[in-house]
Amino acid sequence: MQQRPGQSINSYKMRIAPVAFLLISLISGPCGAQTSDKLKFDIHAVDMSADACADFYQYACGGWLKRNPIPADRPYSAVFQQMREINQTRVGEILERAATEPATTDERKIGDYYASCMDEKTIEAKGLEPLQAELARISAINNPSELANEVARLHGFGSDALFSMSADQKLEDATQVIAYLDQSGLNLPEPGYYTSEDTELVKARAEYRAHLENEFRLLGESPEQAKAAAEDVMKIETALARTELTPVERRDRKAWYHLMGLAELEKLAPEFRWKEYFSAIGFAPMGQINVAIPKYMQAIGELMKATAIEAWKSYLRWELARVATPVLPNRFRDAEFDFYQRTLAGVREQASRAKQCTDLTNRDLGEAVGKDYAQRYLPASSKQKVLEMLGRIKQAFRNDIEQSTWMDASTKREALRKLELLRTMIGYPDRWRDYSRLEIRRGDALGNALRGKEFEFRRQMAKIGKPVDRGEFYELVQGVEGYHDNPLNVIVFTAGILQPPFFDGQMDDAVNFGLAGAVMGHELSHAFDDKGHQFDGEGNMRNWWTAEDAQHYNVRAACFVRQYSLYPAVDGVKVNGELTLGENIADNGGLQLAHMAFEAEPHSSALIDGYTPEQRFFLGWAQWRCMNITDQKARELARDDGHSPGRWRVNGVVSNMPAFAKAYGCRKGDTMVRAEPCRIW
Ligand SMILES: [Zn+2]
């Protein structure tokens, strides 16, 4: 039930910055122990035996960590994960009802899709039969043209075999959508898994090879064939991994942006039949294409020369099996779970079939489900309250920029302009997606999943060459998500996140500002983080900084790199200060902004539960970040996730804030009072 770990099927995934983990998407299934519909800020999360000035995370989260162990079917527990669990249950109810008494055409579709996915008896009875025609196509390949055609077909099914093809905005003209050809093709979390000599990764690699052999045996191959096929896949994926950019290298947006026309692309990798490929996906390569990483395309050319057609077939069979697995018989899903969840992420149990099918329906018919979700669960008042709060935080940012001592007038003017042009989308899109051309058949789980993916691929391709749609949501409405997108210069909060404890009308402002306010400030700060500050208000990548101010910015950013690089992530592995820079800037900026916005208006100073409003503000922030996580998952995230571990998202930020020291009476020399605090905004 995973997406390709560490990779993502749609390019937008690579550029947005959700509230939670970029990698832990709803698709892979939010599940957990707490299913209560009454989540709220919990004062008992506090560990009174801890010293707030020595380790605020332990103080604010100690009680929570004890009472919220990792659910058996997840690699971590966190408050936002519990919210996802609630939403998943709600969506499950919507789908159960749609399966028996659909009221609209869309409901019939989501009901049929879900029911087909749940019908395991039929899936088991059919076995590999529904996949045979596709396997036969692969087996019949015997020249480079047919290979290119098959890559195109698999891309339609949601595979990113060899490279990824997607639609995205032009960096220097955000009104235009162009084709992106990017690195992909791996089935381990990031390139280092193929090449590193780190003991853990060498072990993961060996286990991956065993998993591949197992998969080929499940596809009906003999042990010898399976072994040879696994070797083929390892060779191809390792060769691709060697030229891929690492997650840190990808933080430089220009490192994977190279515009060229078809002729130039053909020169880079003449061995791959680009014309056949483009024609098979129905794309006319007339204008400029972002050939993200030219040396990667060259490597594909080299690989084409060096690799026998039989080896390519092994690779494509594996790619096909992976996209089909969620709707194949149980033995495939068990094998997938054993490797990707149990071995790589330390998860103990597979999520229930109902959860898996809920996620799949979300994946392929997300807005048809989201429409029902928003109607039922988004109170009209939430949107207004969130907009008011955002308005106050935006005002705090405005003041902060105006009062800045290190930016000159022209940089300030541009920054303020970007802030003015920043749009907000709350809840759900103005226009829902039209699924009328997606055919869903009751009883055809595999066909539905492949057609669902194909529908999405065609939808993406249809964007190329047209003006950008500024109203599209890049996350599920029913997801627990917030993000800022640079080329669109927009902040989005989905309907699914607008519920307690993220925002709670029953709670005091202090908690709401420390929690939802800080997350809003976080997303706002992304517009000006290490990547965001390279984009202007229109979403174009443009340098609007004077040389001197850019220098000031970099010095300030470097302070965060030094600070976070010292923190341990998981046994022996340190936090990567460069990989997490954008998120750390957003965390620090976000809490500062929320604090300024909270203090900008008069509020009661009464104690609640024995805490001052200022203290509760910081408890709110911490509680959103409390997290228990498996060592395996923590190790993976340390390599490829842009967020710091929960402990440092709390301690790293509060120790930079004099307001925190004041609220808790911490003194110079305490661990939570850094001698030289880092700050950009
Ligand atoms: Zn973020």
Side-chain angles (χ1 to χ4, degrees):
M1 278 293 294
Q2 303 78 14
Q3 279 190 40
R4 194 186 286 283
Q7 301 280 321
S8 53
I9 283 153
N10 302 312
S11 68
Y12 64 74
K13 280 285 192 184
M14 294 175 184
R15 70 176 203 222
I16 59 168
V19 173
F21 286 134
L22 193 61
L23 302 171
I24 301 169
S25 70
L26 272 181
I27 309 302
S28 55
C31 339
Q34 288 212 5
T35 50
S36 151
D37 217 336
K38 292 191 186 73
L39 279 179
K40 59 184 189 122
F41 171 77
D42 178 12
I43 200 65
H44 304 295
V46 170
D47 171 4
M48 297 299 283
S49 71
D51 175 358
C53 296
D55 183 349
F56 186 59
Y57 180 77
Q58 182 57 37
Y59 179 82
C61 290
W64 189 96
L65 294 172
K66 252 191 221 153
R67 278 183 288 108
N68 292 274
I70 302 169
D73 60 357
R74 293 297 294 168
Y76 64 95
S77 62
V79 172
F80 58 81
Q81 172 263 322
Q82 291 163 347
M83 290 168 72
R84 287 176 175 174
E85 177 80 12
I86 288 172
N87 291 0
Q88 194 179 40
T89 304
R90 291 169 169 177
V91 167
E93 285 161 11
I94 289 172
L95 295 176
E96 291 283 352
R97 200 160 74 187
T100 49
E101 37 183 317
T104 64
T105 326
D106 271 0
E107 283 189 3
R108 178 170 299 280
K109 278 191 180 162
I110 59 178
D112 283 346
Y113 188 105
Y114 179 75
S116 311
C117 177
M118 287 298 289
D119 183 1
E120 293 193 87
K121 232 173 104 185
T122 302
I123 291 173
E124 294 297 330
K126 285 185 176 176
L128 271 180
E129 193 271 322
L131 208 57
Q132 288 309 337
E134 295 302 329
L135 286 167
R137 280 180 57 99
I138 293 174
S139 139
I141 296 172
N142 72 37
N143 59 51
S145 295
E146 287 167 5
L147 179 63
N149 267 294
E150 188 58 24
V151 168
R153 187 166 178 88
L154 288 174
H155 283 182
F157 294 158
S159 147
D160 278 341
L162 214 49
F163 56 88
S164 73
M165 169 81 188
S166 61
D168 211 334
Q169 282 158 277
K170 210 169 168 177
L171 288 189
E172 52 293 277
D173 177 5
T175 63
Q176 296 300 311
V177 179
I178 59 168
Y180 274 51
L181 285 177
D182 204 348
Q183 69 182 33
S184 78
L186 305 184
N187 288 289
L188 284 171
E190 56 95 24
Y193 278 73
Y194 293 88
T195 53
S196 166
E197 288 310 314
D198 177 299
T199 328
E200 289 294 332
L201 299 195
V202 171
K203 208 173 113 211
R205 206 144 64 220
E207 277 161 323
Y208 178 51
R209 183 186 290 269
H211 171 62
L212 287 171
E213 281 187 37
N214 185 24
E215 285 277 333
F216 285 112
R217 283 197 302 271
L218 289 176
L219 284 172
E221 298 172 27
S222 73
E224 294 72 33
Q225 285 171 322
K227 202 172 156 82
E231 178 62 24
D232 291 337
V233 172
M234 286 306 284
K235 270 197 185 142
I236 290 172
E237 292 188 0
T238 305
L240 294 176
R242 283 189 202 288
T243 49
E244 299 212 348
L245 299 186
T246 64
V248 169
E249 288 167 332
R250 286 187 75 88
R251 288 205 64 75
D252 175 6
R253 197 61 189 73
K254 284 187 192 139
W256 45 286
Y257 191 72
H258 297 90
L259 296 183
M260 59 182 76
L262 175 63
E264 226 177 316
L265 171 63
E266 284 185 312
K267 238 183 268 166
L268 274 179
E271 296 81 1
F272 186 79
R273 300 297 169 90
W274 295 103
K275 281 197 187 104
E276 274 102 328
Y277 169 79
F278 288 136
S279 142
I281 61 167
F283 167 63
M286 319 271 268
Q288 285 180 310
I289 299 169
N290 172 24
V291 177
I293 305 152
K295 68 168 184 177
Y296 181 80
M297 291 304 163
Q298 269 169 341
I300 286 182
E302 295 299 320
L303 250 183
M304 294 292 301
K305 267 192 276 184
T307 308
I309 211 91
E310 288 308 312
W312 284 116
K313 292 186 196 179
S314 305
Y315 175 67
L316 297 182
R317 280 203 304 283
W318 162 228
E319 285 284 329
L320 174 67
R322 260 217 104 181
V323 294
T325 290
V327 275
L328 285 182
N330 212 10
R331 56 188 186 275
F332 284 88
R333 282 178 270 135
D334 285 348
E336 170 100 357
F337 170 80
D338 273 343
F339 178 66
Y340 285 104
Q341 294 295 314
R342 197 193 305 275
T343 302
L344 285 190
V347 179
R348 287 165 289 151
E349 276 175 23
Q350 206 171 147
S352 71
R353 188 61 184 161
K355 287 180 178 182
Q356 295 176 18
C357 291
T358 300
D359 289 344
L360 273 182
T361 317
N362 275 336
R363 184 194 79 178
D364 290 337
L365 286 152
E367 290 200 1
V369 178
K371 194 159 50 175
D372 274 14
Y373 177 92
Q375 243 167 34
R376 270 168 228 208
Y377 297 110
L378 182 65
S381 58
S382 306
K383 196 166 168 170
Q384 200 42 45
K385 282 184 196 148
V386 167
L387 281 173
E388 277 166 27
M389 214 164 157
L390 252 173
R392 279 175 68 177
I393 288 161
K394 228 170 154 176
Q395 184 54 44
F397 209 167
R398 213 172 278 131
N399 296 343
D400 203 33
I401 292 170
E402 278 163 2
Q403 286 156 22
S404 158
T405 51
W406 60 273
M407 286 188 287
D408 79 4
S410 80
T411 309
K412 280 185 185 179
R413 207 165 38 241
E414 288 274 7
L416 289 168
R417 191 165 166 276
K418 176 163 185 177
L419 196 59
E420 287 321 305
L421 288 173
L422 184 108
R423 294 177 306 124
T424 311
M425 297 196 290
I426 307 279
Y428 52 88
D430 289 339
R431 212 178 52 246
W432 292 101
R433 197 161 301 161
D434 173 7
Y435 290 102
S436 56
R437 295 175 72 176
L438 170 56
E439 189 194 351
I440 300 299
R441 282 183 224 145
R442 194 98 166 190
D444 183 14
L446 179 65
N448 292 341
L450 296 184
R451 281 190 298 275
K453 276 294 188 184
E454 206 163 9
F455 175 83
E456 173 60 14
F457 185 70
R458 304 257 166 255
R459 191 180 74 83
Q460 294 295 338
M461 291 303 103
K463 293 177 177 178
I464 299 171
K466 303 207 182 89
V468 67
D469 171 8
R470 294 191 174 269
E472 182 176 353
F473 269 48
Y474 290 156
E475 292 286 350
L476 290 171
V477 163
Q478 59 275 37
V480 177
E481 307 289 346
Y483 64 87
H484 171 264
D485 183 85
N486 282 313
L488 289 176
N489 196 22
V490 68
I491 284 183
V492 180
F493 286 100
T494 60
I497 199 173
L498 303 180
Q499 57 172 314
F502 177 77
F503 182 83
D504 190 345
Q506 312 290 314
M507 269 298 148
D508 44 317
D509 269 7
V511 167
N512 277 328
F513 270 86
L515 212 158
V519 174
M520 291 172 191
H522 172 106
E523 300 309 336
L524 206 60
S525 301
H526 270 312
F528 299 89
D529 72 10
D530 60 327
K531 282 196 284 194
H533 83 287
Q534 301 176 42
F535 290 80
D536 67 14
E538 275 82 16
N540 299 323
M541 196 175 210
R542 176 170 70 82
N543 184 6
W544 46 269
W545 294 72
T546 63
E548 204 176 320
D549 286 349
Q551 175 63 15
H552 288 148
Y553 184 97
N554 292 336
V555 168
R556 285 167 171 263
C559 179
F560 288 111
V561 175
R562 283 194 306 276
Q563 178 191 351
Y564 283 81
S565 296
L566 295 173
Y567 295 140
V570 60
D571 41 57
V573 182
K574 289 249 162 62
V575 173
N576 185 328
E578 281 169 12
L579 177 62
T580 56
L581 177 59
E583 294 300 333
N584 297 334
I585 289 176
D587 278 348
N588 280 272
L591 197 61
Q592 296 271 11
L593 289 176
H595 189 260
M596 288 187 276
F598 174 59
E599 297 294 358
E601 285 185 24
H603 57 77
S604 139
S605 56
L607 300 188
I608 301 180
D609 303 322
Y611 290 90
T612 66
E614 283 72 20
Q615 289 171 332
R616 287 172 68 82
F617 171 88
F618 289 104
L619 288 176
W621 165 251
Q623 204 160 109
W624 187 245
R625 302 295 167 207
C626 303
M627 177 182 272
N628 281 310
I629 185 165
T630 64
D631 282 355
Q632 292 94 323
K633 192 69 190 173
R635 247 193 304 274
E636 183 209 311
L637 294 180
R639 296 188 64 88
D640 63 16
D641 185 43
H643 302 83
S644 297
R647 176 176 297 273
W648 309 119
R649 297 193 72 173
V650 173
N651 289 354
V653 178
V654 301
S655 61
N656 280 325
M657 287 179 72
F660 170 79
K662 195 173 159 208
Y664 281 90
C666 306
R667 291 192 213 101
K668 217 172 126 183
D670 286 339
T671 315
M672 293 297 102
V673 183
R674 282 168 49 80
E676 287 170 37
C678 301
R679 182 166 179 185
I680 290 191
W681 305 100

